[in-house]
Amino acid sequence: MTKPVLIFLCNALLLTAGPSLAQSDSPLRAPLPQFGVHNASIPDALLQAGQQSGVPLGIDASDPKLWKTRVSVRAQNANLGEALGQILAAAPGYTIAQDGRTVVIRRASGPGDLLDTRILEFRSVAGSAGDLSLKLWMTLVLQLSPSRQGFLGFNRTSPLDKLLPASDLSGKTAWEILDWIVGTHGSAAWVAVPFTGELGESSTQRDLWRLEFYPNRPGSSQR
Amino acid sequence: VDQVRTGAGVYVPADGSAVRLQFSVEVDANCSRPPNPTYYAYPQHSYLYTWSNIDPSFWLLAGFSLAQTNPPYYNQYCPNPYICPVAYGVASILNFVDFADFLDMRIPFRGVPYRNVYSEAYTLCASGTAGWTRKVFGQVFDVGGVAFVQDGIPMTEQVFLSSRNDLELSRFDTGNTTTSYDPYAQPPRHGAYDDWFFFCSKHCPGAEETDAIQTLIWNGFGLFHSNLLIYKCSGITVDGH
C-alpha cells in the first residue's frame, strides 16, 4: 500500500546563476511512463527516478538509515514528483524542493551539516561538473581547515560530463552550489553520503558527496 | 581416478602467495581414504615445486561430490620475480597428481606513459592555491618490454607521498580505469590506460617540489616497478616522462 505523501514545493532557493522555471515547466512534472524499482535503497531509488526522468537531483542521503531502508515502487504514467513521493513515503521527514533546475531531497529539519556551510568565495572559469565539484570540495576544506596547504589527486572526467560556464557563486551554501552544478549540467545528480569523521588530511570529496551522471537514454538528445 | 578436465591460469602474483585457477575436475567419489599430506609433489618436478598447503575443504568436497570446480591445488616457481612458470593440477584422494598444464606466465612489470593528452596549469584550484593538471595514456609492459594488449583490464593505483613534500600536498583521491583501445596513438594500440593527475597548493607559484610513488595495479596485480611522480608548480612528470 502506498502511503499518502506530502510534497513540498519550495521555490525560495533559486540561484541567481540559473534561470528559474515557471510552474508549468516544473521538473517535478517530468513524465515517468513506466517507473519501477525493486528492493532498492532509498537513495538508489531516487537516483533511478532522476535518471529515468532526466531531471537533475540533489539528494541529502547523509543519514545512514536512508541507505538501509529498502523500497519497492512501481508507477505507471506517473510524473517525477509522484514517484519521488512514493519513494519517500518510507522516509518521513524528507521534503522535495526545487532549486533552479534541480529537484532537491532534503531533511525537513535537523542539525545543519557541512553542506550548509556558506562558501565565501567561489569564482570559477569554465570547467567540467566534476572539476567544479572538486573545486568546491577544496574550497570547503580550506575554509574549514585553513591550515591545509594543498591537495593531490586524480581528477578523471566522466565521459558523460560536460563543460559548464564560468560562474560566481560566492556566498552560496555548498549544497546550493552543487544544485547549480548538476542543474547546469542538466543530466546529473549529487548525493551526499554519510560522513562521520573529520575533514582530515586523508579525507576526500567522496567522503561527503559524489556526482552521478545519468547515462544517455536511447532516443534522447544531449543538450 | 581424478582427472583434470580443464584449467586456466587467470592471475599470478609473483610473491608465490596464491595462484587463482579455475578447474573442472572429475572426482572418484568412491575413494574415501584421507589425504596424505606428504605426497603433494609431482616426482619429475619436485626439484622445482613444493606444493602449497592443501585446502581441507577441497578434500571434504572431493570425497563427496562428482564435480568440483575450486579451489584446486596449485604451485608455482619463480626463477625471478618477472617470469613464472606455473604448474597446476589436482591431487586426488589416492595421492595421484594429475597436471593439467604448464604455463610460462608473463608478469606485468611496469606502466609507461606513451602519449600526453594535456599538461597545463590547473585553473580550477580553490582560491588562494594554484597547481597543475595532466592527463596521459600509458601501457603496461612485461620485463622484456613486451606490451600487454588486453582491453577491459581493470586498473587502480596506490600513491604514497615521499618525504619530500615541499608543496605540503595531502593525498586526495586515487583513480581507477579500464584498459581500452587508443585510436589516437601512433600507431593505434590496445591495452591502453588513461592516467590523470592534478594538484593545488598554497605554495604555487614557487620552486617547491613534492615527490610521490605511484604503484599501478593491473587486474589486481601490483606492478613491480613503481613510478616516481614529481609535482612542481610548473609541471608533473611520471618517471621522467
PDB file of all heavy atoms in Angstrom, chain B residues 78 89 226:
ATOM      1  N   CYS B  78      59.104 -19.338  -9.251  1.00  0.00           N
ATOM      2  CA  CYS B  78      59.511 -18.137  -9.974  1.00  0.00           C
ATOM      3  C   CYS B  78      61.027 -18.042  -9.978  1.00  0.00           C
ATOM      4  O   CYS B  78      61.638 -17.774  -8.951  1.00  0.00           O
ATOM      5  CB  CYS B  78      58.923 -16.896  -9.315  1.00  0.00           C
ATOM      6  SG  CYS B  78      57.138 -16.857  -9.376  1.00  0.00           S
ATOM      7  N   GLY B  89      47.397 -28.337 -11.054  1.00  0.00           N
ATOM      8  CA  GLY B  89      46.753 -29.631 -11.175  1.00  0.00           C
ATOM      9  C   GLY B  89      45.996 -29.947  -9.925  1.00  0.00           C
ATOM     10  O   GLY B  89      45.757 -29.077  -9.096  1.00  0.00           O
ATOM     11  N   SER B 226      57.526   0.747  -9.637  1.00  0.00           N
ATOM     12  CA  SER B 226      56.698   1.899  -9.263  1.00  0.00           C
ATOM     13  C   SER B 226      57.197   3.134 -10.003  1.00  0.00           C
ATOM     14  O   SER B 226      58.387   3.264 -10.303  1.00  0.00           O
ATOM     15  CB  SER B 226      56.767   2.134  -7.752  1.00  0.00           C
ATOM     16  OG  SER B 226      56.184   1.050  -7.069  1.00  0.00           O
TER      17      SER B 226
END
